[in-house]
Amino acid sequence: MIGELYADALAGEGAEIEYVDGTRVTLETARWFEPIDGDEEFLSRCSSPTLDVGSGPGRLTAALTRRGIRSLGIDITPRAVALTRRAGGFALLRDVFQDVPGSGHWATALLADGNIGIGGNPEALLHRVRQLLRPGGTVLAEVAPAGTRSRVDRLRLRRGPLVEEWFSWATVSVSDIRRVALAAGFVEVDCWTAQGRWLARLR
């Protein structure tokens, strides 16, 4: 989700996610600004320092900061970074696949709100995140419910006649996260559900 339409959506303007088959769904950015049921499942398991990958407007990054957990949000959208800072969190304009401060020293990495889908290649993403963690570090990832088909979609953002470029986004089912995580070099995977959300802890 990159470009001006995503930035405008964070500012309150409407946008849709359009799939290659023509299906469209509303991009609900407003829900990322306030606490979501199940957030505590992430927050209570974070250790200093924590990297929030794809931090968006920064609700989790800011919440960790308020708890005294050293945290950094990274996002590829300048408006998202600005919103995180405004909310009281630390954030940088960064692509997770490029240079990230503290590489090899993060205790926890967050992939909340389905951000395990970033880049459309979950194994490559997890491999990269593992490089950013210190030995024994942990990834906390939100995954899709059991029975969901893991897949890679091509989609783009649309507002009326305005469209952005197509990009890939992955969905990983809780049924498949263990296989993907082991392939990315993690050795321990725990999964559970809380408040209607499915989470995985990778070590």
Side-chain angles (χ1 to χ4, degrees):
M1 298 177 184
I2 59 175
E4 289 303 314
L5 292 185
Y6 177 54
D8 291 345
L10 289 174
E13 297 200 35
E16 294 178 308
I17 302 171
E18 181 179 23
Y19 294 82
V20 291
D21 66 359
T23 301
R24 299 182 191 179
V25 297
T26 300
L27 176 62
E28 298 179 351
T29 55
R31 68 189 298 269
W32 298 330
F33 284 79
E34 300 294 333
I36 298 174
D37 288 346
D39 278 356
E40 183 63 25
E41 292 292 312
F42 286 102
L43 298 171
S44 64
R45 289 171 171 81
C46 289
S47 300
S48 290
T50 289
L51 181 68
D52 187 3
V53 180
S55 51
R59 80 176 190 283
L60 295 176
T61 307
L64 288 169
T65 300
R66 290 192 294 270
R67 291 175 179 225
I69 301 292
R70 288 184 292 121
S71 57
L72 174 69
I74 58 171
D75 202 285
I76 60 172
T77 304
R79 183 162 291 168
V81 171
L83 288 168
T84 299
R85 293 172 177 172
R86 187 182 305 168
F90 296 96
L92 292 175
L93 188 66
R94 288 290 192 281
D95 184 324
V96 66
F97 291 102
Q98 297 175 351
D99 181 55
V100 175
S103 180
H105 297 282
W106 295 100
T108 309
L110 288 178
L111 291 169
D113 302 326
N115 281 342
I116 196 169
I118 289 172
N121 187 333
E123 183 179 329
L125 175 62
L126 289 176
H127 178 76
R128 171 56 179 152
V129 172
R130 188 169 64 86
Q131 294 175 332
L132 299 174
L133 293 172
R134 68 190 185 193
T138 299
V139 174
L140 297 172
E142 186 165 359
V143 293
T148 303
R149 181 176 62 87
S150 296
R151 62 189 186 277
V152 177
D153 291 305
R154 292 288 290 172
L155 44 89
R156 64 183 178 183
L157 297 188
R158 169 185 288 275
R159 186 173 72 239
L162 301 176
V163 295
E164 292 189 342
E165 294 183 4
W166 296 99
F167 61 93
S168 296
W169 192 268
T171 298
V172 180
S173 169
V174 67
S175 305
D176 295 320
I177 185 58
R178 186 178 304 276
R179 171 183 56 79
V180 175
L182 293 177
F186 290 90
V187 297
E188 186 178 332
V189 182
D190 299 311
C191 301
W192 69 99
T193 182
Q195 302 292 315
R197 298 166 74 182
W198 288 82
L199 298 92
R201 179 169 50 198
L202 319 179
R203 291 194 179 100

